[in-house]
Amino acid sequence: MKHYEVEILDAKTREKLCFLDKKLPVGTTATLYFRDLGAQISWVTVFLTEYAGPLFIYLLFYFRVPFIYGHKYDFTSSRHTVVHLACICHSF
C-alpha cells in the first residue's frame, strides 16, 4: 500500500495551506489549488432574478404596451377568456 499525498495551495501566492498524508492504494501526489471567490450572492437573489424576467416580459405583452403593439391597440384588453386565464396561471 502506498501513501497518498495531497497538497492544498493558495491559487494566487502558491503558498501551502495544508498537507494531507494518507495511506490509500494510490501512488501519486495530488495538488489542489484553493481560490477564495469572495462575497457571493444568495440563491434567493438568483431565483428571484431568474423568474422575474420571464414574468415581466409576459406581462408586457399581456397589457399590450404601445411600443410593442402600436398606439392603435395600446393598453386594450383581450376579449378572449383564455388570455386572462393564461396570465393568471403564468403569474401565480
Side-chain angles (χ1 to χ4, degrees):
M1 189 174 291
K2 298 181 181 181
H3 284 78
Y4 185 63
E5 298 173 349
V6 178
E7 292 179 339
I8 301 175
L9 306 177
D10 190 326
K12 289 183 181 178
T13 64
R14 306 274 190 216
E15 176 186 350
K16 187 185 291 187
L17 299 175
C18 184
F19 182 78
L20 302 174
D21 185 18
K22 298 191 175 220
K23 292 183 178 180
L24 295 173
V26 179
T28 61
T29 300
T31 302
L32 301 175
Y33 292 98
F34 175 76
R35 178 178 294 174
D36 184 13
L37 298 177
Q40 302 291 311
I41 59 174
S42 69
W43 67 270
V44 175
T45 305
V46 173
F47 177 80
L48 292 176
T49 304
E50 283 180 355
Y51 286 97
L55 178 63
F56 179 70
I57 291 171
Y58 183 82
L59 292 177
L60 283 176
F61 285 93
Y62 176 76
F63 288 117
R64 297 185 181 206
V65 291
F67 67 88
I68 295 175
Y69 285 99
H71 293 291
K72 182 179 177 185
Y73 300 106
D74 61 344
F75 300 109
T76 58
S77 180
S78 177
R79 62 176 184 235
H80 301 289
T81 310
V82 70
V83 174
H84 304 298
L85 181 63
C87 181
I88 291 169
C89 290
H90 179 69
S91 299
F92 298 106

PDB file of all heavy atoms in Angstrom, residues 39-74:
ATOM      1  N   ALA A  39     -17.129  37.486  -1.831  1.00  0.00           N
ATOM      2  CA  ALA A  39     -18.547  37.523  -1.465  1.00  0.00           C
ATOM      3  C   ALA A  39     -19.402  36.949  -2.594  1.00  0.00           C
ATOM      4  O   ALA A  39     -19.165  37.226  -3.764  1.00  0.00           O
ATOM      5  CB  ALA A  39     -18.967  38.945  -1.166  1.00  0.00           C
ATOM      6  N   GLN A  40     -20.367  36.154  -2.243  1.00  0.00           N
ATOM      7  CA  GLN A  40     -21.270  35.533  -3.211  1.00  0.00           C
ATOM      8  C   GLN A  40     -22.691  36.013  -2.952  1.00  0.00           C
ATOM      9  O   GLN A  40     -23.040  36.376  -1.827  1.00  0.00           O
ATOM     10  CB  GLN A  40     -21.218  34.009  -3.076  1.00  0.00           C
ATOM     11  CG  GLN A  40     -19.849  33.422  -3.260  1.00  0.00           C
ATOM     12  CD  GLN A  40     -19.382  33.540  -4.682  1.00  0.00           C
ATOM     13  OE1 GLN A  40     -20.103  33.188  -5.595  1.00  0.00           O
ATOM     14  NE2 GLN A  40     -18.191  34.054  -4.870  1.00  0.00           N
ATOM     15  N   ILE A  41     -23.522  36.009  -3.999  1.00  0.00           N
ATOM     16  CA  ILE A  41     -24.918  36.364  -3.803  1.00  0.00           C
ATOM     17  C   ILE A  41     -25.682  35.123  -3.368  1.00  0.00           C
ATOM     18  O   ILE A  41     -25.293  33.991  -3.662  1.00  0.00           O
ATOM     19  CB  ILE A  41     -25.537  36.974  -5.070  1.00  0.00           C
ATOM     20  CG1 ILE A  41     -25.464  36.007  -6.252  1.00  0.00           C
ATOM     21  CG2 ILE A  41     -24.866  38.286  -5.422  1.00  0.00           C
ATOM     22  CD1 ILE A  41     -26.178  36.500  -7.489  1.00  0.00           C
ATOM     23  N   SER A  42     -26.774  35.325  -2.684  1.00  0.00           N
ATOM     24  CA  SER A  42     -27.540  34.191  -2.159  1.00  0.00           C
ATOM     25  C   SER A  42     -28.360  33.543  -3.272  1.00  0.00           C
ATOM     26  O   SER A  42     -28.629  34.137  -4.310  1.00  0.00           O
ATOM     27  CB  SER A  42     -28.458  34.660  -1.033  1.00  0.00           C
ATOM     28  OG  SER A  42     -29.482  35.481  -1.560  1.00  0.00           O
ATOM     29  N   TRP A  43     -28.796  32.328  -3.025  1.00  0.00           N
ATOM     30  CA  TRP A  43     -29.585  31.604  -4.018  1.00  0.00           C
ATOM     31  C   TRP A  43     -30.952  32.236  -4.184  1.00  0.00           C
ATOM     32  O   TRP A  43     -31.587  32.115  -5.229  1.00  0.00           O
ATOM     33  CB  TRP A  43     -29.695  30.131  -3.656  1.00  0.00           C
ATOM     34  CG  TRP A  43     -30.491  29.867  -2.430  1.00  0.00           C
ATOM     35  CD1 TRP A  43     -30.038  29.793  -1.152  1.00  0.00           C
ATOM     36  CD2 TRP A  43     -31.903  29.657  -2.356  1.00  0.00           C
ATOM     37  NE1 TRP A  43     -31.068  29.558  -0.297  1.00  0.00           N
ATOM     38  CE2 TRP A  43     -32.236  29.471  -1.003  1.00  0.00           C
ATOM     39  CE3 TRP A  43     -32.927  29.619  -3.284  1.00  0.00           C
ATOM     40  CZ2 TRP A  43     -33.532  29.246  -0.567  1.00  0.00           C
ATOM     41  CZ3 TRP A  43     -34.218  29.388  -2.848  1.00  0.00           C
ATOM     42  CH2 TRP A  43     -34.494  29.200  -1.508  1.00  0.00           C
ATOM     43  N   VAL A  44     -31.443  32.915  -3.154  1.00  0.00           N
ATOM     44  CA  VAL A  44     -32.750  33.584  -3.249  1.00  0.00           C
ATOM     45  C   VAL A  44     -32.687  34.700  -4.292  1.00  0.00           C
ATOM     46  O   VAL A  44     -33.596  34.867  -5.106  1.00  0.00           O
ATOM     47  CB  VAL A  44     -33.174  34.140  -1.869  1.00  0.00           C
ATOM     48  CG1 VAL A  44     -34.454  34.930  -1.985  1.00  0.00           C
ATOM     49  CG2 VAL A  44     -33.326  33.012  -0.872  1.00  0.00           C
ATOM     50  N   THR A  45     -31.600  35.461  -4.299  1.00  0.00           N
ATOM     51  CA  THR A  45     -31.437  36.530  -5.280  1.00  0.00           C
ATOM     52  C   THR A  45     -31.380  35.965  -6.689  1.00  0.00           C
ATOM     53  O   THR A  45     -32.008  36.503  -7.617  1.00  0.00           O
ATOM     54  CB  THR A  45     -30.153  37.320  -4.981  1.00  0.00           C
ATOM     55  OG1 THR A  45     -30.199  37.772  -3.633  1.00  0.00           O
ATOM     56  CG2 THR A  45     -30.008  38.502  -5.908  1.00  0.00           C
ATOM     57  N   VAL A  46     -30.665  34.886  -6.873  1.00  0.00           N
ATOM     58  CA  VAL A  46     -30.577  34.247  -8.190  1.00  0.00           C
ATOM     59  C   VAL A  46     -31.952  33.739  -8.621  1.00  0.00           C
ATOM     60  O   VAL A  46     -32.373  33.938  -9.764  1.00  0.00           O
ATOM     61  CB  VAL A  46     -29.554  33.100  -8.171  1.00  0.00           C
ATOM     62  CG1 VAL A  46     -29.573  32.313  -9.472  1.00  0.00           C
ATOM     63  CG2 VAL A  46     -28.166  33.640  -7.888  1.00  0.00           C
ATOM     64  N   PHE A  47     -32.678  33.116  -7.725  1.00  0.00           N
ATOM     65  CA  PHE A  47     -34.005  32.575  -8.021  1.00  0.00           C
ATOM     66  C   PHE A  47     -34.962  33.681  -8.440  1.00  0.00           C
ATOM     67  O   PHE A  47     -35.655  33.572  -9.452  1.00  0.00           O
ATOM     68  CB  PHE A  47     -34.541  31.836  -6.790  1.00  0.00           C
ATOM     69  CG  PHE A  47     -35.925  31.306  -6.960  1.00  0.00           C
ATOM     70  CD1 PHE A  47     -36.146  30.124  -7.649  1.00  0.00           C
ATOM     71  CD2 PHE A  47     -37.017  31.977  -6.431  1.00  0.00           C
ATOM     72  CE1 PHE A  47     -37.424  29.632  -7.808  1.00  0.00           C
ATOM     73  CE2 PHE A  47     -38.293  31.493  -6.582  1.00  0.00           C
ATOM     74  CZ  PHE A  47     -38.498  30.314  -7.273  1.00  0.00           C
ATOM     75  N   LEU A  48     -34.995  34.766  -7.664  1.00  0.00           N
ATOM     76  CA  LEU A  48     -35.914  35.861  -7.978  1.00  0.00           C
ATOM     77  C   LEU A  48     -35.549  36.544  -9.293  1.00  0.00           C
ATOM     78  O   LEU A  48     -36.426  36.929 -10.069  1.00  0.00           O
ATOM     79  CB  LEU A  48     -35.931  36.872  -6.838  1.00  0.00           C
ATOM     80  CG  LEU A  48     -36.549  36.367  -5.532  1.00  0.00           C
ATOM     81  CD1 LEU A  48     -36.423  37.419  -4.448  1.00  0.00           C
ATOM     82  CD2 LEU A  48     -38.001  35.975  -5.738  1.00  0.00           C
ATOM     83  N   THR A  49     -34.271  36.671  -9.570  1.00  0.00           N
ATOM     84  CA  THR A  49     -33.835  37.289 -10.817  1.00  0.00           C
ATOM     85  C   THR A  49     -34.191  36.420 -12.019  1.00  0.00           C
ATOM     86  O   THR A  49     -34.632  36.925 -13.055  1.00  0.00           O
ATOM     87  CB  THR A  49     -32.320  37.534 -10.780  1.00  0.00           C
ATOM     88  OG1 THR A  49     -32.012  38.322  -9.636  1.00  0.00           O
ATOM     89  CG2 THR A  49     -31.839  38.240 -12.019  1.00  0.00           C
ATOM     90  N   GLU A  50     -34.037  35.112 -11.889  1.00  0.00           N
ATOM     91  CA  GLU A  50     -34.355  34.203 -12.996  1.00  0.00           C
ATOM     92  C   GLU A  50     -35.833  34.226 -13.346  1.00  0.00           C
ATOM     93  O   GLU A  50     -36.203  34.140 -14.504  1.00  0.00           O
ATOM     94  CB  GLU A  50     -33.959  32.769 -12.640  1.00  0.00           C
ATOM     95  CG  GLU A  50     -32.492  32.500 -12.734  1.00  0.00           C
ATOM     96  CD  GLU A  50     -32.159  31.066 -12.380  1.00  0.00           C
ATOM     97  OE1 GLU A  50     -33.062  30.315 -11.972  1.00  0.00           O
ATOM     98  OE2 GLU A  50     -30.992  30.687 -12.516  1.00  0.00           O
ATOM     99  N   TYR A  51     -36.695  34.302 -12.346  1.00  0.00           N
ATOM    100  CA  TYR A  51     -38.131  34.224 -12.600  1.00  0.00           C
ATOM    101  C   TYR A  51     -38.796  35.573 -12.793  1.00  0.00           C
ATOM    102  O   TYR A  51     -39.912  35.627 -13.315  1.00  0.00           O
ATOM    103  CB  TYR A  51     -38.816  33.448 -11.477  1.00  0.00           C
ATOM    104  CG  TYR A  51     -38.536  31.979 -11.593  1.00  0.00           C
ATOM    105  CD1 TYR A  51     -37.518  31.383 -10.863  1.00  0.00           C
ATOM    106  CD2 TYR A  51     -39.245  31.196 -12.492  1.00  0.00           C
ATOM    107  CE1 TYR A  51     -37.233  30.035 -11.000  1.00  0.00           C
ATOM    108  CE2 TYR A  51     -38.968  29.853 -12.642  1.00  0.00           C
ATOM    109  CZ  TYR A  51     -37.967  29.278 -11.889  1.00  0.00           C
ATOM    110  OH  TYR A  51     -37.684  27.954 -12.036  1.00  0.00           O
ATOM    111  N   ALA A  52     -38.156  36.669 -12.426  1.00  0.00           N
ATOM    112  CA  ALA A  52     -38.743  37.993 -12.624  1.00  0.00           C
ATOM    113  C   ALA A  52     -38.700  38.397 -14.096  1.00  0.00           C
ATOM    114  O   ALA A  52     -39.624  39.048 -14.584  1.00  0.00           O
ATOM    115  CB  ALA A  52     -38.022  39.022 -11.770  1.00  0.00           C
ATOM    116  N   GLY A  53     -37.641  38.016 -14.803  1.00  0.00           N
ATOM    117  CA  GLY A  53     -37.513  38.376 -16.217  1.00  0.00           C
ATOM    118  C   GLY A  53     -38.640  37.833 -17.082  1.00  0.00           C
ATOM    119  O   GLY A  53     -39.335  38.614 -17.752  1.00  0.00           O
ATOM    120  N   PRO A  54     -38.870  36.520 -17.110  1.00  0.00           N
ATOM    121  CA  PRO A  54     -39.964  35.984 -17.931  1.00  0.00           C
ATOM    122  C   PRO A  54     -41.336  36.497 -17.504  1.00  0.00           C
ATOM    123  O   PRO A  54     -42.197  36.722 -18.351  1.00  0.00           O
ATOM    124  CB  PRO A  54     -39.862  34.471 -17.720  1.00  0.00           C
ATOM    125  CG  PRO A  54     -38.450  34.240 -17.353  1.00  0.00           C
ATOM    126  CD  PRO A  54     -38.021  35.448 -16.572  1.00  0.00           C
ATOM    127  N   LEU A  55     -41.549  36.697 -16.211  1.00  0.00           N
ATOM    128  CA  LEU A  55     -42.831  37.220 -15.751  1.00  0.00           C
ATOM    129  C   LEU A  55     -43.045  38.638 -16.266  1.00  0.00           C
ATOM    130  O   LEU A  55     -44.120  38.983 -16.771  1.00  0.00           O
ATOM    131  CB  LEU A  55     -42.890  37.205 -14.223  1.00  0.00           C
ATOM    132  CG  LEU A  55     -44.158  37.777 -13.599  1.00  0.00           C
ATOM    133  CD1 LEU A  55     -45.368  36.951 -14.009  1.00  0.00           C
ATOM    134  CD2 LEU A  55     -44.032  37.817 -12.098  1.00  0.00           C
ATOM    135  N   PHE A  56     -42.025  39.462 -16.181  1.00  0.00           N
ATOM    136  CA  PHE A  56     -42.120  40.850 -16.642  1.00  0.00           C
ATOM    137  C   PHE A  56     -42.363  40.912 -18.152  1.00  0.00           C
ATOM    138  O   PHE A  56     -43.199  41.677 -18.626  1.00  0.00           O
ATOM    139  CB  PHE A  56     -40.835  41.594 -16.267  1.00  0.00           C
ATOM    140  CG  PHE A  56     -40.817  43.017 -16.726  1.00  0.00           C
ATOM    141  CD1 PHE A  56     -41.647  43.962 -16.134  1.00  0.00           C
ATOM    142  CD2 PHE A  56     -39.976  43.412 -17.749  1.00  0.00           C
ATOM    143  CE1 PHE A  56     -41.634  45.277 -16.567  1.00  0.00           C
ATOM    144  CE2 PHE A  56     -39.961  44.717 -18.187  1.00  0.00           C
ATOM    145  CZ  PHE A  56     -40.792  45.657 -17.597  1.00  0.00           C
ATOM    146  N   ILE A  57     -41.657  40.093 -18.917  1.00  0.00           N
ATOM    147  CA  ILE A  57     -41.813  40.100 -20.377  1.00  0.00           C
ATOM    148  C   ILE A  57     -43.208  39.631 -20.772  1.00  0.00           C
ATOM    149  O   ILE A  57     -43.846  40.212 -21.659  1.00  0.00           O
ATOM    150  CB  ILE A  57     -40.720  39.235 -21.036  1.00  0.00           C
ATOM    151  CG1 ILE A  57     -39.366  39.920 -20.854  1.00  0.00           C
ATOM    152  CG2 ILE A  57     -41.009  38.997 -22.509  1.00  0.00           C
ATOM    153  CD1 ILE A  57     -38.193  39.077 -21.260  1.00  0.00           C
ATOM    154  N   TYR A  58     -43.728  38.614 -20.115  1.00  0.00           N
ATOM    155  CA  TYR A  58     -45.076  38.133 -20.432  1.00  0.00           C
ATOM    156  C   TYR A  58     -46.106  39.222 -20.143  1.00  0.00           C
ATOM    157  O   TYR A  58     -47.037  39.443 -20.929  1.00  0.00           O
ATOM    158  CB  TYR A  58     -45.400  36.873 -19.626  1.00  0.00           C
ATOM    159  CG  TYR A  58     -46.755  36.307 -19.968  1.00  0.00           C
ATOM    160  CD1 TYR A  58     -46.919  35.495 -21.076  1.00  0.00           C
ATOM    161  CD2 TYR A  58     -47.868  36.601 -19.197  1.00  0.00           C
ATOM    162  CE1 TYR A  58     -48.162  34.981 -21.409  1.00  0.00           C
ATOM    163  CE2 TYR A  58     -49.113  36.093 -19.519  1.00  0.00           C
ATOM    164  CZ  TYR A  58     -49.252  35.291 -20.624  1.00  0.00           C
ATOM    165  OH  TYR A  58     -50.478  34.789 -20.958  1.00  0.00           O
ATOM    166  N   LEU A  59     -45.948  39.917 -19.020  1.00  0.00           N
ATOM    167  CA  LEU A  59     -46.913  40.964 -18.671  1.00  0.00           C
ATOM    168  C   LEU A  59     -46.835  42.151 -19.620  1.00  0.00           C
ATOM    169  O   LEU A  59     -47.832  42.837 -19.838  1.00  0.00           O
ATOM    170  CB  LEU A  59     -46.712  41.410 -17.226  1.00  0.00           C
ATOM    171  CG  LEU A  59     -47.063  40.349 -16.177  1.00  0.00           C
ATOM    172  CD1 LEU A  59     -46.750  40.855 -14.787  1.00  0.00           C
ATOM    173  CD2 LEU A  59     -48.511  39.924 -16.288  1.00  0.00           C
ATOM    174  N   LEU A  60     -45.678  42.412 -20.226  1.00  0.00           N
ATOM    175  CA  LEU A  60     -45.584  43.460 -21.251  1.00  0.00           C
ATOM    176  C   LEU A  60     -46.500  43.149 -22.434  1.00  0.00           C
ATOM    177  O   LEU A  60     -47.184  44.035 -22.961  1.00  0.00           O
ATOM    178  CB  LEU A  60     -44.147  43.598 -21.748  1.00  0.00           C
ATOM    179  CG  LEU A  60     -43.161  44.334 -20.865  1.00  0.00           C
ATOM    180  CD1 LEU A  60     -41.774  44.282 -21.497  1.00  0.00           C
ATOM    181  CD2 LEU A  60     -43.577  45.757 -20.652  1.00  0.00           C
ATOM    182  N   PHE A  61     -46.538  41.896 -22.836  1.00  0.00           N
ATOM    183  CA  PHE A  61     -47.399  41.514 -23.948  1.00  0.00           C
ATOM    184  C   PHE A  61     -48.862  41.414 -23.518  1.00  0.00           C
ATOM    185  O   PHE A  61     -49.762  41.686 -24.301  1.00  0.00           O
ATOM    186  CB  PHE A  61     -46.934  40.185 -24.553  1.00  0.00           C
ATOM    187  CG  PHE A  61     -45.702  40.328 -25.381  1.00  0.00           C
ATOM    188  CD1 PHE A  61     -44.448  40.125 -24.832  1.00  0.00           C
ATOM    189  CD2 PHE A  61     -45.792  40.690 -26.709  1.00  0.00           C
ATOM    190  CE1 PHE A  61     -43.309  40.266 -25.590  1.00  0.00           C
ATOM    191  CE2 PHE A  61     -44.654  40.844 -27.483  1.00  0.00           C
ATOM    192  CZ  PHE A  61     -43.403  40.633 -26.926  1.00  0.00           C
ATOM    193  N   TYR A  62     -49.114  41.030 -22.276  1.00  0.00           N
ATOM    194  CA  TYR A  62     -50.492  40.920 -21.802  1.00  0.00           C
ATOM    195  C   TYR A  62     -51.161  42.288 -21.721  1.00  0.00           C
ATOM    196  O   TYR A  62     -52.307  42.459 -22.125  1.00  0.00           O
ATOM    197  CB  TYR A  62     -50.529  40.233 -20.429  1.00  0.00           C
ATOM    198  CG  TYR A  62     -51.912  40.187 -19.844  1.00  0.00           C
ATOM    199  CD1 TYR A  62     -52.851  39.274 -20.324  1.00  0.00           C
ATOM    200  CD2 TYR A  62     -52.293  41.052 -18.821  1.00  0.00           C
ATOM    201  CE1 TYR A  62     -54.130  39.232 -19.796  1.00  0.00           C
ATOM    202  CE2 TYR A  62     -53.571  41.006 -18.290  1.00  0.00           C
ATOM    203  CZ  TYR A  62     -54.487  40.100 -18.788  1.00  0.00           C
ATOM    204  OH  TYR A  62     -55.751  40.061 -18.268  1.00  0.00           O
ATOM    205  N   PHE A  63     -50.460  43.278 -21.220  1.00  0.00           N
ATOM    206  CA  PHE A  63     -51.048  44.613 -21.080  1.00  0.00           C
ATOM    207  C   PHE A  63     -50.957  45.434 -22.368  1.00  0.00           C
ATOM    208  O   PHE A  63     -51.395  46.571 -22.394  1.00  0.00           O
ATOM    209  CB  PHE A  63     -50.387  45.365 -19.925  1.00  0.00           C
ATOM    210  CG  PHE A  63     -50.774  44.831 -18.584  1.00  0.00           C
ATOM    211  CD1 PHE A  63     -49.830  44.277 -17.750  1.00  0.00           C
ATOM    212  CD2 PHE A  63     -52.086  44.869 -18.164  1.00  0.00           C
ATOM    213  CE1 PHE A  63     -50.183  43.769 -16.515  1.00  0.00           C
ATOM    214  CE2 PHE A  63     -52.465  44.373 -16.937  1.00  0.00           C
ATOM    215  CZ  PHE A  63     -51.510  43.819 -16.103  1.00  0.00           C
ATOM    216  N   ARG A  64     -50.402  44.864 -23.410  1.00  0.00           N
ATOM    217  CA  ARG A  64     -50.330  45.485 -24.732  1.00  0.00           C
ATOM    218  C   ARG A  64     -49.752  46.898 -24.674  1.00  0.00           C
ATOM    219  O   ARG A  64     -50.413  47.875 -25.010  1.00  0.00           O
ATOM    220  CB  ARG A  64     -51.703  45.510 -25.391  1.00  0.00           C
ATOM    221  CG  ARG A  64     -52.244  44.135 -25.644  1.00  0.00           C
ATOM    222  CD  ARG A  64     -53.529  44.188 -26.396  1.00  0.00           C
ATOM    223  NE  ARG A  64     -54.033  42.840 -26.598  1.00  0.00           N
ATOM    224  CZ  ARG A  64     -54.820  42.511 -27.595  1.00  0.00           C
ATOM    225  NH1 ARG A  64     -55.194  43.394 -28.475  1.00  0.00           N
ATOM    226  NH2 ARG A  64     -55.231  41.277 -27.715  1.00  0.00           N
ATOM    227  N   VAL A  65     -48.507  46.969 -24.265  1.00  0.00           N
ATOM    228  CA  VAL A  65     -47.849  48.273 -24.171  1.00  0.00           C
ATOM    229  C   VAL A  65     -47.649  48.851 -25.582  1.00  0.00           C
ATOM    230  O   VAL A  65     -47.453  48.110 -26.543  1.00  0.00           O
ATOM    231  CB  VAL A  65     -46.511  48.170 -23.411  1.00  0.00           C
ATOM    232  CG1 VAL A  65     -46.747  47.881 -21.958  1.00  0.00           C
ATOM    233  CG2 VAL A  65     -45.612  47.132 -24.018  1.00  0.00           C
ATOM    234  N   PRO A  66     -47.706  50.175 -25.717  1.00  0.00           N
ATOM    235  CA  PRO A  66     -47.705  50.801 -27.049  1.00  0.00           C
ATOM    236  C   PRO A  66     -46.447  50.540 -27.879  1.00  0.00           C
ATOM    237  O   PRO A  66     -46.536  50.441 -29.101  1.00  0.00           O
ATOM    238  CB  PRO A  66     -47.820  52.288 -26.735  1.00  0.00           C
ATOM    239  CG  PRO A  66     -48.334  52.380 -25.356  1.00  0.00           C
ATOM    240  CD  PRO A  66     -47.929  51.131 -24.668  1.00  0.00           C
ATOM    241  N   PHE A  67     -45.281  50.406 -27.269  1.00  0.00           N
ATOM    242  CA  PHE A  67     -44.077  50.220 -28.084  1.00  0.00           C
ATOM    243  C   PHE A  67     -43.969  48.824 -28.679  1.00  0.00           C
ATOM    244  O   PHE A  67     -43.130  48.572 -29.532  1.00  0.00           O
ATOM    245  CB  PHE A  67     -42.805  50.594 -27.309  1.00  0.00           C
ATOM    246  CG  PHE A  67     -42.485  49.705 -26.157  1.00  0.00           C
ATOM    247  CD1 PHE A  67     -41.731  48.553 -26.322  1.00  0.00           C
ATOM    248  CD2 PHE A  67     -42.923  50.036 -24.881  1.00  0.00           C
ATOM    249  CE1 PHE A  67     -41.426  47.749 -25.257  1.00  0.00           C
ATOM    250  CE2 PHE A  67     -42.609  49.228 -23.808  1.00  0.00           C
ATOM    251  CZ  PHE A  67     -41.871  48.078 -23.993  1.00  0.00           C
ATOM    252  N   ILE A  68     -44.843  47.903 -28.289  1.00  0.00           N
ATOM    253  CA  ILE A  68     -44.870  46.572 -28.907  1.00  0.00           C
ATOM    254  C   ILE A  68     -46.021  46.477 -29.916  1.00  0.00           C
ATOM    255  O   ILE A  68     -45.837  46.023 -31.036  1.00  0.00           O
ATOM    256  CB  ILE A  68     -45.005  45.469 -27.834  1.00  0.00           C
ATOM    257  CG1 ILE A  68     -43.772  45.458 -26.945  1.00  0.00           C
ATOM    258  CG2 ILE A  68     -45.204  44.104 -28.486  1.00  0.00           C
ATOM    259  CD1 ILE A  68     -43.851  44.501 -25.790  1.00  0.00           C
ATOM    260  N   TYR A  69     -47.219  46.925 -29.524  1.00  0.00           N
ATOM    261  CA  TYR A  69     -48.399  46.765 -30.358  1.00  0.00           C
ATOM    262  C   TYR A  69     -48.767  48.004 -31.173  1.00  0.00           C
ATOM    263  O   TYR A  69     -49.625  47.948 -32.031  1.00  0.00           O
ATOM    264  CB  TYR A  69     -49.604  46.372 -29.497  1.00  0.00           C
ATOM    265  CG  TYR A  69     -49.554  44.938 -29.046  1.00  0.00           C
ATOM    266  CD1 TYR A  69     -49.117  44.601 -27.782  1.00  0.00           C
ATOM    267  CD2 TYR A  69     -49.939  43.921 -29.901  1.00  0.00           C
ATOM    268  CE1 TYR A  69     -49.055  43.287 -27.375  1.00  0.00           C
ATOM    269  CE2 TYR A  69     -49.902  42.601 -29.503  1.00  0.00           C
ATOM    270  CZ  TYR A  69     -49.451  42.293 -28.237  1.00  0.00           C
ATOM    271  OH  TYR A  69     -49.406  41.004 -27.847  1.00  0.00           O
ATOM    272  N   GLY A  70     -48.186  49.125 -30.884  1.00  0.00           N
ATOM    273  CA  GLY A  70     -48.549  50.357 -31.578  1.00  0.00           C
ATOM    274  C   GLY A  70     -49.654  51.083 -30.816  1.00  0.00           C
ATOM    275  O   GLY A  70     -50.284  50.548 -29.895  1.00  0.00           O
ATOM    276  N   HIS A  71     -49.917  52.294 -31.210  1.00  0.00           N
ATOM    277  CA  HIS A  71     -50.870  53.126 -30.465  1.00  0.00           C
ATOM    278  C   HIS A  71     -52.323  52.744 -30.715  1.00  0.00           C
ATOM    279  O   HIS A  71     -53.204  53.131 -29.947  1.00  0.00           O
ATOM    280  CB  HIS A  71     -50.639  54.597 -30.805  1.00  0.00           C
ATOM    281  CG  HIS A  71     -49.321  55.097 -30.304  1.00  0.00           C
ATOM    282  ND1 HIS A  71     -49.062  55.259 -28.969  1.00  0.00           N
ATOM    283  CD2 HIS A  71     -48.189  55.435 -30.968  1.00  0.00           C
ATOM    284  CE1 HIS A  71     -47.827  55.696 -28.814  1.00  0.00           C
ATOM    285  NE2 HIS A  71     -47.260  55.803 -30.011  1.00  0.00           N
ATOM    286  N   LYS A  72     -52.588  51.992 -31.771  1.00  0.00           N
ATOM    287  CA  LYS A  72     -53.971  51.587 -32.053  1.00  0.00           C
ATOM    288  C   LYS A  72     -54.496  50.624 -30.988  1.00  0.00           C
ATOM    289  O   LYS A  72     -55.665  50.678 -30.612  1.00  0.00           O
ATOM    290  CB  LYS A  72     -54.035  50.936 -33.431  1.00  0.00           C
ATOM    291  CG  LYS A  72     -55.417  50.527 -33.839  1.00  0.00           C
ATOM    292  CD  LYS A  72     -55.420  49.906 -35.221  1.00  0.00           C
ATOM    293  CE  LYS A  72     -56.805  49.433 -35.596  1.00  0.00           C
ATOM    294  NZ  LYS A  72     -56.827  48.735 -36.873  1.00  0.00           N
ATOM    295  N   TYR A  73     -53.619  49.739 -30.478  1.00  0.00           N
ATOM    296  CA  TYR A  73     -54.037  48.716 -29.515  1.00  0.00           C
ATOM    297  C   TYR A  73     -53.447  48.934 -28.122  1.00  0.00           C
ATOM    298  O   TYR A  73     -53.460  48.022 -27.302  1.00  0.00           O
ATOM    299  CB  TYR A  73     -53.622  47.322 -29.996  1.00  0.00           C
ATOM    300  CG  TYR A  73     -54.227  46.951 -31.319  1.00  0.00           C
ATOM    301  CD1 TYR A  73     -53.465  46.947 -32.470  1.00  0.00           C
ATOM    302  CD2 TYR A  73     -55.572  46.613 -31.413  1.00  0.00           C
ATOM    303  CE1 TYR A  73     -54.016  46.611 -33.693  1.00  0.00           C
ATOM    304  CE2 TYR A  73     -56.133  46.275 -32.625  1.00  0.00           C
ATOM    305  CZ  TYR A  73     -55.353  46.273 -33.764  1.00  0.00           C
ATOM    306  OH  TYR A  73     -55.906  45.936 -34.964  1.00  0.00           O
ATOM    307  N   ASP A  74     -52.958  50.122 -27.832  1.00  0.00           N
ATOM    308  CA  ASP A  74     -52.260  50.312 -26.563  1.00  0.00           C
ATOM    309  C   ASP A  74     -53.191  50.161 -25.364  1.00  0.00           C
ATOM    310  O   ASP A  74     -54.271  50.721 -25.308  1.00  0.00           O
ATOM    311  CB  ASP A  74     -51.540  51.661 -26.526  1.00  0.00           C
ATOM    312  CG  ASP A  74     -52.479  52.840 -26.670  1.00  0.00           C
ATOM    313  OD1 ASP A  74     -53.616  52.632 -27.100  1.00  0.00           O
ATOM    314  OD2 ASP A  74     -52.046  53.961 -26.346  1.00  0.00           O
TER     315      ASP A  74
END
